Amino acid sequence: MPKNITPLIAGNWKMNGTAAALAEIEALREGVEDTPELRCEILICPPATLISRMAEKARGSAVQVGGQDCHSQKSGAHTGDISAEMLADAGATHVILGHSERRTDHGETDAIVRAKALAALGSGLVPIICVGETEAERLAGEALAVVERQLAASIPDEAGSRTFVVAYEPVWAIGTGRTPTTDDISQMHGAMRKLLERRFGEAGSRVPLLYGGSMKPGNAAEILAIGDVNGGLVGGASLKAADFLGIIAAA
Ligand code: PEP
């Protein structure tokens, strides 16, 4: 992990958690306060219903709170959707965009993800743009090409002068307990770094590149030690403060 980028350990709670789960944030906050040398940024992205209450509980601590999606428009007739401005108003600092579950469940294309990222930047949020190949694409030898295509098309040009994050999440590693080899992660992150540098110059060398997919306390240190891995996007292991603190300790 290069030293010039502060690692980000981000938790994605997905559609999990009601008010009772806020106790995990209290435990996380205490655990983080007890961590002697904190060397990473910490973010939890709960369901939208918990953002403002979680932000209240996290206030004054190193724990930041984010959304899991936003609409590309500022407001209007979009029943059930949430704008970037609303997330920021609720206390979010970041928003996950283009997660493979949204690409699959909601048919989100790279163009939609790009429009959402632009909206997030416009509301002062840091977009975490997710990319990653399916198992069939990896087996067909297309992983690099798929990720490079998603990366090129999902990031708006305007992001070059702003802060944004990229998460490489192989779809087949999400929630399965399987992870790519360290060589495969290294190759993918190296390719993403090159692409970002070609497109955005020096700014591209400063974009945090997260790995996501079955990251746990037991494998975090090995994954986070890979060159060009600047943190993790963590699903299942972010739901319990003890597990998430184990990953933070590895960073
Ligand atoms: C995710 O959904 O972003 C994720 C990485 O999930 P998990 O850690 O559970 O594989």
Side-chain angles (χ1 to χ4, degrees):
M1 208 155 40
K3 302 230 173 343
N4 57 344
I5 299 178
T6 304
L8 170 64
I9 304 297
N12 172 15
W13 278 18
K14 312 191 186 195
M15 199 172 72
N16 295 294
T18 56
L22 293 170
E24 294 300 327
I25 287 306
E26 281 161 17
L28 178 62
R29 182 183 174 137
E30 281 167 25
V32 166
E33 278 162 7
D34 288 346
T35 304
E37 281 179 74
L38 193 62
R39 298 216 187 94
C40 60
E41 279 194 69
I42 300 163
L43 173 73
I44 294 283
C45 301
T49 48
L50 289 181
I51 290 175
S52 71
R53 282 176 285 175
M54 192 177 280
E56 190 60 41
K57 293 226 178 270
R59 182 170 297 162
S61 79
V63 181
Q64 303 174 83
V65 178
Q68 298 176 11
D69 176 50
C70 70
H71 198 276
S72 58
Q73 301 293 312
K74 279 188 172 171
S75 61
H78 303 289
T79 303
D81 278 315
I82 297 176
S83 72
E85 186 185 33
M86 290 168 183
L87 292 179
D89 183 53
T93 52
H94 296 63
V95 60
I96 298 170
L97 294 173
H99 190 284
S100 63
E101 286 152 16
R102 292 213 54 94
R103 289 180 188 259
T104 304
D105 295 355
H106 300 272
E108 290 192 4
T109 60
D110 292 331
I112 291 173
V113 175
R114 188 172 67 241
K116 289 182 174 200
L118 199 51
L121 292 168
S123 291
L125 296 176
V126 176
I128 301 175
I129 298 170
C130 300
V131 294
E133 81 284 358
T134 63
E135 183 153 38
E137 288 163 341
R138 176 154 286 273
L139 291 174
E142 293 166 0
L144 272 175
V146 166
V147 166
E148 289 189 352
R149 193 196 64 230
Q150 289 178 332
L151 207 55
S154 301
I155 302 173
D157 289 336
E158 292 79 351
S161 57
R162 311 290 295 278
T163 302
F164 71 101
V165 175
V166 168
Y168 167 56
E169 298 206 302
V171 179
W172 52 273
I174 294 178
T176 60
R178 296 162 60 206
T179 54
T181 64
T182 50
D183 279 354
D184 285 342
I185 297 175
S186 176
Q187 187 191 26
M188 187 62 80
H189 279 241
M192 296 197 302
R193 175 68 69 211
K194 277 205 190 87
L195 194 143
L196 290 170
E197 285 175 346
R198 267 203 310 274
R199 179 163 171 199
F200 296 115
E202 214 272 317
S205 65
R206 285 185 269 110
V207 176
L209 303 181
L210 313 187
Y211 167 78
S214 298
M215 187 183 269
K216 296 181 171 50
N219 63 16
E222 187 184 25
I223 294 172
L224 293 170
I226 299 170
D228 277 321
V229 173
N230 314 116
L233 181 53
V234 184
S238 70
L239 292 172
K240 290 284 166 222
D243 290 338
F244 201 54
L245 284 165
I247 295 175
I248 290 167

